[in-house]
Amino acid sequence: MVHILVDNLDVENLNSVNLRAATSAALLLSPSKFSEENLYAKICSLSYMGDLRMLFAEDKNKVKKIVQGQFKLFQTMYKPFLEEYATKDLLRFSSCAGNQANVSQDCGLSAASLLVSCLPPTVRSEMGLKLGEKKQLSESGQVTHKVVLGSREEASKCMRKIVRRRVMVSSVRQAVSGLLTVGAVHGIRYLANKMHKAWTSWM
């Protein structure tokens, strides 16, 4: 279930930063051409990337079902950022299929650099340690650190590894916590049910 929090301006701004970061990450992992649904599925899959439970104890169609079931909500949340990137010539919308557009994106290095700059600071920091970074002055006069990119593919691969590792650590903690909470017997039964559901989805 996707929830939208709108409490005050600060929360809205924080949500805006998070939504833009998710959009940027998904675009970095996407090919040159894709549909809106494909992109929203990529955004949704960020939460499951590296999740050990998805390997054997989750429905492989989970992400697709979430997006198709709440497509309008995904459009409401993320379409404004796609339109924003379109004004910056990063994206181009083409003929619509049903109620969604087909999208093509600039896969150049400068476009990739802009997408990376919108990622969460902790992710950018890790990417900087792995790929290198350089200091530069922002328009406000502050010193910022820019990740040095050799290629878009390199940036995408690096970010994917970082996100996968973070999600994996989180999923292990949640799994262990769940077993401790419900007890070993109930935990095994729950896991067995999840595995049955997963195998059924693969048939």
Side-chain angles (χ1 to χ4, degrees):
M1 188 67 175
V2 179
H3 299 278
I4 301 179
L5 301 177
V6 184
D7 298 326
N8 52 51
L9 184 59
D10 290 336
V11 173
E12 289 181 28
N13 287 338
L14 179 60
N15 286 338
S16 178
V17 171
N18 291 337
L19 294 175
R20 182 179 287 104
T23 303
S24 299
L27 286 171
L28 200 57
L29 295 172
S30 296
S32 60
K33 296 182 179 181
F34 48 87
S35 67
E36 271 189 81
E37 183 178 317
N38 289 339
L39 181 64
Y40 299 151
K42 186 73 69 176
I43 290 173
C44 187
S45 70
L46 293 172
S47 299
Y48 299 100
M49 190 181 295
D51 191 330
L52 295 178
R53 294 167 297 182
M54 291 297 289
L55 295 179
F56 62 92
E58 288 284 356
D59 182 353
K60 76 178 183 70
N61 295 314
K62 185 173 185 176
V63 169
K64 183 178 181 180
K65 290 177 181 177
I66 291 174
V67 173
Q68 291 182 340
Q70 303 188 60
F71 185 79
K72 288 293 186 181
L73 183 55
F74 274 92
Q75 273 192 321
T76 300
M77 295 172 67
Y78 295 103
K79 191 66 175 287
F81 299 101
L82 300 184
E83 293 171 343
E84 174 189 323
Y85 284 158
T87 63
K88 297 179 180 179
D89 294 326
L90 293 181
L91 301 179
R92 291 176 295 279
F93 297 101
S94 57
S95 58
C96 296
N99 63 342
Q100 63 170 301
N102 291 316
V103 188
S104 59
Q105 67 169 324
D106 181 351
C107 290
L109 199 57
S110 59
S113 181
L114 190 150
L115 294 176
V116 169
S117 71
C118 294
L119 297 176
T122 53
V123 175
R124 291 203 311 272
S125 179
E126 283 195 55
M127 291 182 69
L129 290 175
K130 295 178 180 297
L131 303 179
E133 59 184 17
K134 60 182 180 181
K135 295 181 180 180
Q136 62 180 21
L137 283 176
S138 66
E139 294 180 357
S140 61
Q142 293 181 323
V143 177
T144 60
H145 297 270
K146 181 179 181 180
V147 179
V148 177
L149 304 182
S151 68
R152 180 189 178 90
E153 291 72 22
E154 180 184 56
S156 176
K157 183 177 180 180
C158 181
M159 187 203 69
R160 185 191 296 273
K161 287 183 177 179
I162 293 171
V163 173
R164 179 181 288 122
R165 184 173 65 252
R166 286 173 171 268
V167 173
M168 184 179 294
V169 171
S170 177
S171 71
V172 170
R173 289 174 179 171
Q174 290 180 25
V176 172
S177 176
L179 287 174
L180 293 176
T181 300
V182 303
V185 175
H186 288 86
I188 292 173
R189 289 176 179 171
Y190 172 78
L191 184 59
N193 288 331
K194 298 290 280 185
M195 289 180 67
H196 174 70
K197 185 177 180 181
W199 281 110
T200 299
S201 72
W202 279 97
M203 298 301 287

